[in-house]
Amino acid sequence: TKAHAVLQRLVDIDKTRRASPFQLAWVYAGLDDRDHAFAELERAYAQRDGAMPLLATYWTLDSLHDDPRFRSLLKRMKLDTYFPEAVKPR
């Protein structure tokens, strides 16, 4: 319930000023909504969000590591060789 409230607040903020798509991805990942989490990560990638280079280090996104879309993001950012462990579930 709290996560949904936080998510709604971020979505509302994003309507009037920029909310971080990376932070939205955190909340969606916490809710186990992978499709929305990856949609926000793709938006963060497109916007060159400053958090993206550390994508594989955020424990809040660990639940996404076994998804092929996660590895695809790492490859596009040329980070897959630096974070080979990121594709394994922890």
Side-chain angles (χ1 to χ4, degrees), residues 45 72-82:
Y45 174 76
S72 174
L73 272 172
L74 290 179
K75 281 184 179 182
R76 282 183 276 148
M77 295 186 313
K78 308 224 185 308
L79 294 173
D80 55 320
T81 58
Y82 297 106

Side-chain angles (χ1 to χ4, degrees), residues 25-75:
W26 281 7
V27 178
Y28 281 121
L31 293 170
D32 200 31
D33 186 341
R34 289 176 170 227
D35 290 335
H36 281 109
F38 280 107
E40 293 301 332
L41 288 174
E42 289 293 341
R43 195 163 68 111
Y45 174 76
Q47 293 177 3
R48 299 180 183 267
D49 190 297
M52 289 301 286
L54 298 173
L55 175 68
T57 65
Y58 289 99
W59 65 269
T60 52
L61 300 175
D62 281 357
S63 64
L64 304 178
H65 288 193
D66 63 343
D67 192 298
R69 293 173 287 187
F70 189 81
R71 186 66 173 176
S72 174
L73 272 172
L74 290 179
K75 281 184 179 182

Side-chain angles (χ1 to χ4, degrees), residues 7-28:
L7 177 61
Q8 188 57 53
R9 182 163 158 75
L10 287 171
V11 168
D12 290 342
I13 288 170
D14 199 37
K15 290 176 185 173
T16 58
R17 61 182 190 260
R18 186 182 172 276
S20 168
F22 199 84
Q23 290 175 340
L24 285 165
W26 281 7
V27 178
Y28 281 121

